[in-house]
Amino acid sequence: MPKQFELKCTGESKGPPEGFWAAVDVWIQKPHVVNKRLSGVKLSETKDARRDELRFVLGDGCESELTQDVLGFLSAAPSCSQTRREPKPLRSTVRTFIPKVNSYGTVAHRELVFKDFDRQKVTFIPFEERDGGRVSVKKGNIYLIQLLLQETEGWALELHVLSPEAWFSDNVVYPKLRWLSSDLLPKLMRWTTESKKSEFTSTLSLLPVEKYSVTYQHLKEKYKTMVQVWPEVTDPEKFVYEDVAIATYLLVLWSEERSEKDLTSRQSFVDLGCGNGLLVHILTNEGHPGKGIDVRKRKIWSMYGPHTLLEEKAITPSESSLFPDTDWLIGNHSDELTPWIPVMAARSSYDCRYFVLPCCFFDFFSKYQRRQCKKTQYRLYIDFISEVSRACGFNTQEDCLRIPSTKRVCLVGQSRNYQKPDEAEADRRRSAFIHSRQASTGQRVQGSDVEIDCCRGSTVTGSNGGISWGAGFQPRERVEVVRNCSGLPRDFVDTIVLRVANVLLEMTAEDGRESSTHWNSGGSLSLGEVAALMEQETLQRLKKECGGLQTLLKNNHHVFRVEKGRVHIRDLRDVKSCRVNTKKKAPPAGTRKTRPCWFHCNHPQGCPLQAEHCAFAHGADDLRPSTKPLKTKM
């Protein structure tokens, strides 16, 4: 049994790791987390290994050289240093690979996987199955991974290959042999030692992965031109491909629903808090009738054309904000509307379903407050929205999307946990739950001295004329408030910058490091120490901005360098520290200098760079007016 590679544990633990089989399961069930050219796999049921499975893959010739080689590979005795355990039966499964881009036609690429718990090893036998059931084994790509327990040296992972000289690679289903040792084995080593179970479910657990992969590739190709024409200030690649992935998820989910319920027409939808509207545009183009609603119109809306229905208005949960003729309500990063969407879906009609992708943490009437620290805030918030969904009468499902975001857990309410005749009682439970949340957060309705009942029969009238059972809900402002310190008065910012810089420069003078021949780059302070330099009134003003003091300092990155919670004076001679974005090209020679150099004006020794090398103006003669047109407010 040729050993190809061995990776020894370098940690302090010498005992056998508990997470080996958990790590192996990740590679078996979710190979796409390592091999990015795969969308996933389709697994058969795991069962006790039988000889007829090998006979199907290897052929009927039990005495053939291939069969004998594979049987020998499977039953090879463990190293003498490995601890013997009680014999256990081999477990087998077949996994079918789903590549992101299918260039194999109708040929199915599969692997017969054997788990040998006695010898602590897992064996992979790849084979191809063609039309008519013809099977061919890739003998050169048969390999195994074994956990080796060593009495004096702890433990190690070994990679063995049956015929390394015949290894075949196409960089998709069949990776290169050195990739197994350089990428896969270290990942398995890390997962083995971590042995940490994720707080969330696996990705795409509610969908057929193969169907999702085909649909996603189709939509990605169809809508990729949106990246080139994106007029918003947000990152086009992230937002376009994220919405393509969300649209893919919904289209496949709805397709499966039509098949299960034998529906003939495509589902209708309303996207609440639709933002840039791209998700609405894609779903509409793919044949689903619907519209998007958002409190603020975006620039890109006018590019979609008349068939994409987008409406600019604020949504306040009330009788007039229900959608009785709509099949699905969507909340894609819907912020303050997120907890209300299951409520609105439940009250719109018994057949209305919902999909939410929570992002920012909102309760019904205020920001969501965590009540324990054993789980992450994100996990607690997902649990809260799940609780809302169940209280609204939904059988709630959780899934994880494949999108370029850290907030990618979605909740789906596709059916009810009560019968239609029990609607009145179910609505009373909803009302009681909403009222309990309002009472627990201590929220009162502004401008009212009476206690508000959140029940559906309340006599509170909403601003849009409907009966409001969301009294106390605050929709976002129509005009987006910029709170990244860029709107603060210039003299206020300049005062803070000068104060912090002077303290940093004085630190080197006090410890004797200042020299007349060396440019003074100052000392460093923690963010807490910098905050201690400010008056309380200044700190309160900064607290209203996102990121506060740290954001202000980072905005002035031509003066300061903020790393690992500490603030330094930026040395313009240090190319690495000045090039914040390493992918961005340096400004060409002769570039107009539209801003004065802070160091030339304020540093005791001036700027460390000569005027021709500095990106900022050294004096009035070096300053040129900006030729950029002024931004117009939309």
Side-chain angles (χ1 to χ4, degrees):
M1 187 170 68
K3 182 171 72 175
Q4 200 66 26
F5 190 78
E6 179 182 80
L7 190 63
K8 293 185 178 181
C9 174
T10 56
E12 296 179 359
S13 174
K14 296 295 183 182
E18 300 297 328
F20 173 67
W21 288 111
V24 166
D25 283 340
V26 173
W27 171 236
I28 293 174
Q29 299 167 16
K30 298 186 285 186
H32 54 275
V33 302
V34 188
N35 186 348
K36 300 302 181 182
R37 295 180 180 179
L38 297 176
S39 283
V41 291
K42 188 187 299 181
L43 292 170
S44 68
E45 183 182 357
T46 302
K47 53 192 176 183
D48 287 347
R50 300 194 309 271
R51 186 172 288 272
D52 59 350
E53 287 180 304
L54 268 178
R55 187 179 298 117
F56 170 74
V57 174
L58 302 177
D60 294 328
C62 295
E63 302 302 323
S64 69
E65 182 181 353
L66 174 60
T67 302
Q68 294 303 313
D69 287 346
V70 172
L71 289 175
F73 195 61
L74 280 170
S75 59
S79 171
C80 59
S81 60
Q82 183 170 350
T83 306
R84 268 287 184 185
R85 301 191 177 193
E86 289 296 322
K88 296 180 181 178
L90 271 67
R91 301 284 286 170
S92 70
T93 188
V94 175
R95 61 175 183 171
T96 303
F97 292 104
I98 305 171
K100 284 185 176 179
V101 179
N102 186 7
S103 57
Y104 303 107
T106 58
V107 178
H109 291 76
R110 298 192 169 103
E111 272 186 346
L112 183 57
V113 182
F114 287 100
K115 289 182 178 179
D116 188 339
F117 296 99
D118 182 32
R119 297 179 175 89
Q120 293 283 75
K121 68 179 184 180
V122 56
T123 304
F124 301 86
I125 304 175
F127 64 97
E128 297 174 1
E129 187 172 351
R130 289 170 170 78
D131 292 339
R134 291 181 294 115
V135 172
S136 59
V137 179
K138 303 291 287 187
K139 178 182 177 181
N141 291 64
I142 297 175
Y143 69 97
L144 69 80
I145 296 168
Q146 182 175 19
L147 171 65
L148 187 68
L149 303 180
Q150 301 167 329
E151 295 179 359
T152 58
E153 300 180 7
W155 58 275
L157 294 182
E158 289 187 348
L159 172 67
H160 297 261
V161 180
L162 179 60
S163 303
E165 71 284 350
W167 187 272
F168 168 77
S169 172
D170 64 0
N171 288 324
V172 182
V173 171
Y174 304 112
K176 292 181 179 178
L177 182 54
R178 67 172 179 269
W179 181 88
L180 293 180
S181 57
S182 64
D183 289 65
L184 175 60
L185 220 57
K187 282 283 175 82
L188 289 172
M189 172 73 78
R190 181 164 63 84
W191 296 337
T192 297
T193 53
E194 286 178 352
S195 188
K196 183 180 179 181
K197 189 176 180 180
S198 172
E199 288 185 307
F200 305 104
T201 185
S202 300
T203 59
L204 308 182
S205 61
L206 303 181
L207 304 182
V209 177
E210 187 171 12
K211 191 172 183 179
Y212 174 90
S213 179
V214 172
T215 306
Y216 176 75
Q217 292 303 323
H218 168 70
L219 294 182
K220 184 180 179 182
E221 182 67 23
K222 185 175 180 179
Y223 296 100
K224 67 180 181 181
T225 55
M226 295 298 302
V227 174
Q228 278 74 47
V229 298
W230 193 255
E232 305 291 338
V233 296
T234 50
D235 180 9
E237 289 201 1
K238 178 188 185 300
F239 282 87
V240 170
Y241 294 130
E242 180 172 319
D243 280 354
V244 166
I246 296 170
T248 303
Y249 188 93
L250 288 169
L251 290 171
V252 175
L253 181 70
W254 293 345
S255 175
E256 293 298 296
E257 182 184 57
R258 290 196 301 274
S259 298
E260 291 172 8
K261 297 183 178 180
D262 198 23
L263 302 176
T264 55
S265 58
R266 292 179 182 266
Q267 296 90 331
S268 60
F269 71 92
V270 174
D271 186 353
L272 300 173
C274 63
N276 59 53
L278 180 57
L279 179 60
V280 178
H281 178 63
I282 296 173
L283 295 176
T284 301
N285 273 3
E286 299 306 312
H288 288 270
K291 67 177 180 179
I293 303 174
D294 200 279
V295 72
R296 183 169 55 86
K297 183 178 180 179
R298 306 302 200 273
K299 298 176 187 177
I300 198 172
W301 284 15
S302 59
M303 297 176 58
Y304 295 135
H307 297 295
T308 301
L309 303 179
L310 298 168
E311 189 176 342
E312 182 183 14
K313 75 171 186 178
I315 292 287
T316 298
S318 64
E319 290 293 320
S320 60
S321 297
L322 299 181
F323 306 91
D325 299 322
T326 300
D327 295 320
W328 283 79
L329 297 189
I330 298 172
N332 173 21
H333 294 195
S334 46
D335 296 344
E336 71 276 4
L337 280 174
T338 299
W340 286 104
I341 287 177
V343 181
M344 296 168 73
R347 285 178 168 170
S348 289
S349 73
Y350 182 78
D351 296 319
C352 187
R353 290 85 78 193
Y354 80 87
F355 166 93
V356 292
L357 182 62
C359 179
C360 300
F361 308 140
F362 282 90
D363 207 321
F364 288 110
F365 307 101
S366 61
K367 283 292 189 88
Y368 173 78
Q369 301 293 327
R370 66 189 298 176
R371 300 187 179 185
Q372 59 161 292
C373 57
K374 292 182 179 180
K375 299 180 181 178
T376 64
Q377 186 171 15
Y378 184 44
R379 177 67 262 177
L380 288 171
Y381 188 65
I382 295 296
D383 290 343
F384 164 62
I385 301 300
S386 299
E387 183 184 10
V388 173
S389 178
R390 291 191 296 271
C392 289
F394 285 101
N395 294 312
T396 309
Q397 296 173 293
E398 180 181 314
D399 205 354
C400 194
L401 274 60
R402 291 184 185 174
I403 57 176
S405 172
T406 55
K407 307 290 177 60
R408 54 198 186 103
V409 177
C410 70
L411 295 173
V412 178
Q414 209 167 357
S415 62
R416 304 296 175 94
N417 55 23
Y418 63 93
Q419 298 300 314
K420 191 172 183 178
D422 301 326
E423 179 62 43
E425 178 59 31
D427 197 59
R428 279 192 287 272
R429 290 195 295 269
R430 290 180 207 122
S431 300
F433 182 80
I434 297 169
H435 186 69
S436 70
R437 296 299 302 182
Q438 188 176 34
S440 66
T441 55
Q443 296 295 313
R444 292 183 62 84
V445 181
Q446 295 181 358
S448 175
D449 294 327
V450 298
E451 184 177 352
I452 299 298
D453 186 1
C454 294
C455 294
R456 200 169 180 176
S458 170
T459 57
V460 179
T461 303
S463 59
N464 50 13
I467 301 301
S468 174
W469 26 263
F473 171 80
Q474 294 293 327
R476 67 176 62 188
E477 298 294 331
R478 186 176 297 274
V479 178
E480 189 175 21
V481 180
V482 178
R483 294 191 297 119
N484 61 358
C485 296
S486 61
L488 294 172
R490 189 69 250 176
D491 57 344
F492 175 78
V493 174
D494 289 343
T495 300
I496 294 176
V497 170
L498 189 60
R499 178 180 300 177
V500 175
N502 284 338
V503 172
L504 292 172
L505 293 173
E506 288 170 2
M507 292 175 70
T508 51
E510 291 174 359
D511 63 13
R513 285 187 286 145
E514 184 181 18
S515 170
S516 59
T517 58
H518 293 90
W519 190 78
N520 182 12
S521 59
S524 72
L525 292 171
S526 68
L527 287 168
E529 291 169 330
V530 173
L533 302 174
M534 306 295 139
E535 294 88 357
Q536 195 62 34
E537 182 182 352
T538 300
L539 292 175
Q540 288 299 322
R541 190 171 185 178
L542 290 172
K543 195 174 182 180
K544 297 176 182 178
E545 304 291 315
C546 294
L549 179 60
Q550 181 173 217
T551 297
L552 186 145
L553 295 172
K554 286 186 173 182
N555 286 354
N556 290 272
H557 54 81
H558 57 291
V559 181
F560 300 112
R561 177 169 52 90
V562 182
E563 290 181 353
K564 298 180 180 179
R566 297 196 69 82
V567 183
H568 311 258
I569 292 286
R570 187 175 295 281
D571 189 341
L572 298 181
R573 298 168 298 181
D574 184 354
V575 177
K576 290 183 179 180
S577 92
C578 294
R579 294 281 300 280
V580 178
N581 184 358
T582 56
K583 296 181 180 179
K584 189 176 180 180
K585 294 182 179 179
T591 301
R592 291 179 179 269
K593 301 178 180 182
T594 59
R595 296 182 61 185
C597 176
W598 186 92
F599 294 106
H600 178 78
C601 300
N602 298 284
H603 195 285
Q605 296 168 292
C607 180
L609 300 177
Q610 296 296 321
E612 59 268 24
H613 299 301
C614 184
F616 301 94
H618 285 203
D621 294 339
D622 202 19
L623 192 63
R624 299 288 184 272
S626 176
T627 58
K628 288 185 178 180
L630 294 174
K631 292 182 179 179
T632 57
K633 293 183 179 180
M634 295 297 293

